[in-house]
Amino acid sequence: MRQPLNRNLVSALSRQTHLSFVQTEAHSHIQRLRNCSDFVSAASLHSNVLKSGLLAHTFTANHLLNCYVRSRRIDHARNLFDEISEPNIVSWTSLISGYVDVGRPGIALRMFGKMPGCSVMPNEFTFATVIKACSIFSDLRTGKEIHARLEVFGFRINLVVCSSLVDMYGKCNDVDGARRVFDLMGCRNVVSWTSMITAYAQNARGDEALQLFREFSHLMSDRPNHFMLTSIVSACSSLGRLVSGKVAHGAVIRGGHDLSDVVASALVDMYAKCGCLDYSDKIFRRIRYPSVVPYTSMIVGAAKFGLGKLSLELVSEMIDRGIKPNDVTFVGVLHACSHSGLVDEGLEHLKSMFDKHGILPSTKHYTCVVDMLGRTGRLDEAYQLAKSIQADQNSRALLWGTLLSASRLHGRVDIAVEASKQLIDSNQQVAGAYVALSNTYILAGEWDKAHNLRSEMKRNQVRKEPGCSWIEIKDSSYVFYAGDVSSCAQGTEMVNLLRELESRMKERGYVGGSNGLVFVDVEEEAKEEIVGLHSERLALAFGLINTPEGVTIRIMKNLRMCTDCHEAFKLISEIVERDFVVRDVNRFHHFKNGFCICGDFW
């Protein structure tokens, strides 16, 4: 005869069965939450979890919270977070990360500040996330405070945290701070090396970026990722290092990143900035489905070469393919119109920005329009537009500096005086403003005012940035300063070559120093000598001596190329039958057979 089961045993078995059912159901929900990344699914799962009573478990609630974060519904994530009775470090970090991902770093930092009051201690992922928030804000002060806190918590050599710190210091323009963190890291991975290389590249320290990349290649067995290669290509762009850029291009191909949209865009930009627009075009045309980024790089590159019609053809092609231009695209388009004299086309594109594409023109766009109007002699329109624009100090400096250049070009002393006053009063581009106004006075024949202005510069100890040009030969860069030939072993040979070329130019009607835009207080003979030793001419002479016949000579310059040197380069290109490409602070000049691609319009 069967004995009845003990009631306690029945109760225990019942509880175990229920617990097993709950655990199975919880496991099922969690698996679905882990795979959920859209809002509709998240809302449905939220309802199911709520009905099952599992939302009271912080572990399950965190999975749902992450689901809302992945679907970028940060407000729903916040509401859920507020309902969690005991949010743990995962809850806090998930929500903070969500705010960072949707571009609300301020709220992320405020939440981080509340954590100590809730007795929740941050972990390495929390610190990495709030450091990223500081990067987005470029908030160096808060970043340093968090850096100090994480050292107290024992994360000073943590790989994830330190990589974030390097990135934060770099984005806050404290490259030396980034390097100190990098040097103290016990171990490094591709991410940390990439962060440091990017910090150098983004802060105009391209030489150090290239040097660090060489160290990475020598010390690490890992292959560079596409982020690192993009930064290296960008460093070559800023330096105008064509040979180094080609080496980086080789690394891109070996790593299988040549079809990456971002890397390809960087290569398009690099070859354009190194004076090889045909290479840019080849890479651009290899991209099967180009996005707005490579299109914009190509449009800007063509603009720098004065190929305005090509830029306009590219933007039309892009729009025909259903690719929406962005604000940077239109900066390139307007810049192209400005440097090609396409005023009507430029004004039409400015109007289309908002009317057709919903993009509100910014100060950068209006600055291009001021330049466009000014270059074609419509100074009064350019002046009225400049006066009407509200902008921050840096943007206003660029705006008025552009107007100053145009007024000097057309001899409008009245506008040049006003533009110079705006720049000097704002303490922006002061030396350039003095020099441009002085040259405007000279063109107008007002020599006394020019002399007085130069005297004022001396009294106020305002010094113009020295002219500097550099040339790359066999992966080595050679730098030249105006008038300085003594520092180069081939100085005498260079001067003799320039004198010989000048003699042959004069046979073609060249008059050295004739534009009057050099120095006020020197005699004509001395003025001609000074112009003859401008930095770009020294670089050209060095290039002619040290490169084989027929090779294109590529020169970079930190200032605008003067009209006298521009005329000389045209004549020399015809005399020696070689192509020269000069990249100055404004644009490219490609000299060939006595002509420049800019059509003398720059």
Side-chain angles (χ1 to χ4, degrees), residues 231-270:
S231 292
I232 287 300
V233 172
S234 297
C236 296
S237 298
S238 63
L239 294 169
R241 295 278 184 84
L242 180 60
V243 175
S244 299
K246 287 182 175 180
V247 171
H249 190 179
V252 167
I253 294 171
R254 289 193 299 274
H257 300 296
D258 50 319
L259 297 180
S260 164
D261 211 42
V262 176
V263 179
S265 299
L267 286 168
V268 168
D269 181 65
M270 183 273 292

Side-chain angles (χ1 to χ4, degrees), residues 224-487:
N225 58 27
H226 76 279
F227 297 109
M228 182 186 292
L229 291 170
T230 300
S231 292
I232 287 300
V233 172
S234 297
C236 296
S237 298
S238 63
L239 294 169
R241 295 278 184 84
L242 180 60
V243 175
S244 299
K246 287 182 175 180
V247 171
H249 190 179
V252 167
I253 294 171
R254 289 193 299 274
H257 300 296
D258 50 319
L259 297 180
S260 164
D261 211 42
V262 176
V263 179
S265 299
L267 286 168
V268 168
D269 181 65
M270 183 273 292
Y271 280 116
K273 286 182 177 174
C274 290
C276 297
L277 196 64
D278 53 341
Y279 277 50
S280 295
D281 186 63
K282 287 177 183 177
I283 292 169
F284 174 73
R285 294 303 172 188
R286 286 191 61 207
I287 305 172
R288 184 173 297 177
Y289 302 110
S291 68
V292 64
V293 179
Y295 260 110
T296 298
S297 295
M298 196 64 208
I299 288 167
V300 172
K304 287 288 185 183
F305 274 84
L307 302 175
K309 291 185 178 179
L310 175 58
S311 291
L312 296 183
E313 288 170 7
L314 285 165
V315 75
S316 295
E317 176 187 309
M318 183 175 76
I319 293 170
D320 289 343
R321 295 180 67 169
I323 301 169
K324 184 177 174 62
N326 59 26
D327 61 325
V328 182
T329 311
F330 279 106
V331 170
V333 170
L334 293 171
H335 185 75
C337 293
S338 172
H339 284 269
S340 301
L342 304 172
V343 180
D344 292 337
E345 292 88 340
L347 293 175
E348 184 60 33
H349 276 287
L350 178 71
K351 184 175 183 296
S352 75
M353 283 182 63
F354 186 77
D355 292 351
K356 294 183 180 179
H357 305 286
I359 301 171
L360 195 65
S362 68
T363 308
K364 289 182 180 179
H365 301 103
Y366 286 120
T367 299
C368 289
V369 176
V370 167
D371 187 46
M372 183 168 61
L373 293 170
R375 285 175 184 275
T376 52
R378 295 163 65 169
L379 267 299
D380 292 315
E381 293 173 71
Y383 176 57
Q384 292 302 323
L385 179 59
K387 286 200 303 181
S388 68
I389 296 172
Q390 299 296 319
D392 59 51
Q393 191 177 48
N394 290 332
S395 297
R396 286 187 66 78
L398 181 62
L399 181 69
W400 286 101
T402 298
L403 187 62
L404 176 58
S405 296
S407 57
R408 183 201 63 182
L409 179 67
H410 293 282
R412 285 292 299 270
V413 176
D414 55 336
I415 295 177
V417 169
E418 176 61 23
S420 299
K421 183 177 182 299
Q422 292 279 351
L423 290 171
I424 294 168
D425 288 348
S426 65
N427 201 32
Q428 299 281 311
Q429 301 180 24
V430 174
Y434 272 113
V435 172
L437 182 57
S438 172
N439 290 334
T440 307
Y441 281 138
I442 294 169
L443 284 174
E446 300 184 23
W447 290 88
D448 289 341
K449 290 183 179 179
H451 275 293
N452 293 338
L453 203 61
R454 292 283 177 162
S455 299
E456 186 179 330
M457 286 180 68
K458 291 178 181 179
R459 285 197 306 274
N460 296 333
Q461 296 185 330
V462 176
R463 292 182 176 83
K464 181 186 175 184
E465 182 181 4
C468 168
S469 297
W470 58 100
I471 183 172
E472 184 182 16
I473 299 176
K474 295 181 179 179
D475 202 23
S476 295
S477 288
Y478 301 87
V479 183
F480 300 91
Y481 290 90
D484 180 14
V485 293
S486 59
S487 59

Side-chain angles (χ1 to χ4, degrees), residues 170-222:
K171 285 187 169 64
C172 293
N173 304 320
D174 186 356
V175 187
D176 294 330
R179 187 60 196 247
R180 283 192 293 271
V181 175
F182 181 79
D183 288 340
L184 289 172
M185 293 178 69
C187 63
R188 303 170 186 143
N189 60 8
V190 175
V191 175
S192 49
W193 282 89
T194 299
S195 296
M196 191 62 239
I197 288 170
T198 303
Y200 279 131
Q202 290 179 343
N203 287 277
R205 292 169 67 166
D207 282 319
E208 289 157 292
L210 294 178
Q211 177 58 37
L212 196 62
F213 180 65
R214 286 190 281 269
E215 290 180 28
F216 168 83
S217 302
H218 178 69
L219 297 173
M220 302 290 288
S221 58
D222 297 331

Side-chain angles (χ1 to χ4, degrees), residues 88-150:
N88 58 17
I89 184 56
V90 177
S91 316
W92 283 87
T93 303
S94 296
L95 188 60
I96 289 170
S97 175
Y99 277 119
V100 172
D101 289 343
V102 298
R104 296 162 74 177
I107 299 176
L109 291 172
R110 286 198 292 274
M111 283 207 66
F112 177 71
K114 294 177 181 178
M115 287 179 66
C118 297
S119 301
V120 179
M121 296 298 104
N123 61 19
E124 60 186 285
F125 301 108
T126 319
F127 276 118
T129 302
V130 292
I131 291 167
K132 184 179 178 181
C134 294
S135 299
I136 296 170
F137 256 155
S138 295
D139 187 350
L140 183 60
R141 184 183 62 82
T142 304
K144 286 183 174 181
E145 291 174 358
I146 293 172
H147 187 178
R149 285 185 63 182
L150 67 88

